[in-house]
Amino acid sequence: MLKTNNLTKSFGGLTAVNNVNIEIQKGSITAVIGPNGAGKTTFFNMITGVYTPTSGEILLGEESLVGLKPHAVSKKGIARTFQNIRLFSSMTALENVMVGMHQHLKYGVFSTIFHLPSYKKAEKAAMKEAYKWLEYVGLSDVYNEESSSLSYGAQRRLEIARALASKPSILLLDEPAAGMNPKETKELTDLIYQMRDDLNLTIVLIEHDMKLVMEISEYLFVLDHGEKIAEGKPLEIRNNQKVIEAYLGKSAVTTA
């Protein structure tokens, strides 16, 4: 469903991602892991149009995504959350989700300015749908609260709700469990399974919580210093010496 061929991104003399080839299967839960500085977020940023690759290809089916801006990538059905939460802090939870729906709203500038009946009807429908997504992630009771007042775990789920509101077929989650307590992480795990099964989503996540990764991922790609060093199922990755070395150093492999 999503594929990269020799994907590379350089910043001056630094190559952050180097000739990375991956293939994401439709309907899968796939993880991209690696130590800090491995190039994982840069990889996500290229897929979503934040960065233009220095070279290589990104294919959604048979269609190239290279050169598309983030809003255009979103229209193709790819949504994401961010490593550092990016919500509109002074907007309510409901309003934040409505922002994620903007590309599907049907009213134009003229009807918006003059609050014509078509605008009012579309706005009412948008609010109803936004509330549905808040309900889906378990946040309907805080729909009218400013996002800045929510707990960290709730803000993470609000970001997911906003992404879902864009009606994606592929959802990229950048460290979704960061800062969560064990209870929130368990709820997140259940939500990821639920989203995949209920919404027919393909989910790709970057995550440092290895317990979560090994439990939920069906396939993993491992990056280190911008290069793919391994791929496979969780058990294969757990026992891969290159992966152990990347995380723990050569001495860990020697000791093992």
Side-chain angles (χ1 to χ4, degrees):
M1 186 175 190
L2 180 67
K3 183 178 182 180
T4 69
N5 295 322
N6 300 319
L7 194 62
T8 299
K9 180 62 181 178
S10 297
F11 299 95
L14 173 67
T15 300
V17 173
N18 187 30
N19 289 321
V20 170
N21 298 295
I22 68 144
E23 190 166 345
I24 307 295
Q25 299 299 318
K26 184 177 181 179
S28 66
I29 299 175
T30 302
V32 179
I33 66 170
N36 289 329
K40 303 181 298 296
T41 295
T42 299
F43 178 75
F44 265 25
N45 283 340
M46 284 190 284
I47 291 174
T48 55
V50 176
Y51 296 154
T52 300
T54 303
S55 61
E57 193 65 82
I58 306 168
L59 296 172
L60 181 61
E62 299 298 321
E63 186 176 6
S64 175
L65 299 180
V66 173
L68 296 183
K69 299 297 184 184
H71 71 276
V73 174
S74 178
K75 285 186 176 181
K76 298 294 183 184
I78 299 178
R80 73 173 295 181
T81 63
F82 293 87
Q83 181 178 357
N84 299 313
I85 295 173
R86 297 185 185 180
L87 295 170
F88 297 98
S89 59
S90 61
M91 294 172 65
T92 66
L94 187 73
E95 290 167 339
N96 267 278
V97 177
M98 290 178 69
V99 169
M101 300 169 57
H102 72 279
Q103 65 192 25
H104 299 292
L105 299 178
K106 302 301 182 183
Y107 48 76
V109 175
F110 186 81
S111 60
T112 303
I113 292 173
F114 293 100
H115 281 213
L116 298 181
S118 59
Y119 163 80
K120 293 179 180 179
K121 182 178 179 181
E123 190 78 357
K124 185 176 180 180
M127 292 177 66
K128 185 176 180 180
E129 185 169 348
Y131 185 84
K132 180 192 75 174
W133 289 120
L134 286 174
E135 197 170 32
Y136 188 82
V137 301
L139 294 177
S140 59
D141 58 330
V142 296
Y143 78 97
N144 204 33
E145 293 187 23
E146 290 187 357
S147 65
S148 58
S149 70
L150 303 179
S151 69
Y152 196 82
Q155 288 184 26
R156 287 282 181 193
R157 282 185 284 146
L158 178 56
E159 259 206 325
I160 291 173
R162 184 175 64 186
L164 292 176
S166 69
K167 301 179 181 178
S169 56
I170 299 176
L171 179 61
L172 309 181
L173 303 174
D174 194 346
E175 297 194 31
M180 287 189 174
N181 60 42
K183 180 177 180 293
E184 290 171 331
T185 301
K186 175 61 170 62
E187 291 172 347
L188 173 68
T189 301
D190 293 341
L191 178 60
I192 290 174
Y193 279 128
Q194 183 180 340
M195 290 189 296
R196 191 271 300 272
D197 296 339
D198 290 350
L199 307 174
N200 196 28
L201 277 177
T202 300
I203 297 175
V204 188
L205 66 148
I206 294 171
E207 186 52 66
H208 285 291
D209 185 334
M210 286 299 103
K211 183 176 182 296
L212 171 63
V213 165
M214 292 301 173
E215 176 183 347
I216 202 170
S217 304
E218 296 161 346
Y219 203 81
L220 295 91
F221 294 93
V222 187
L223 302 183
D224 186 33
H225 294 97
E227 297 187 354
K228 185 182 74 175
I229 61 169
E231 65 175 276
K233 295 181 179 179
L235 185 59
E236 297 170 317
I237 296 302
R238 190 192 304 272
N239 297 320
N240 187 294
Q241 290 194 330
K242 284 187 178 180
V243 176
I244 296 171
E245 182 179 324
Y247 275 97
L248 303 177
K250 291 184 178 180
S251 59
V253 178
T254 305
T255 303

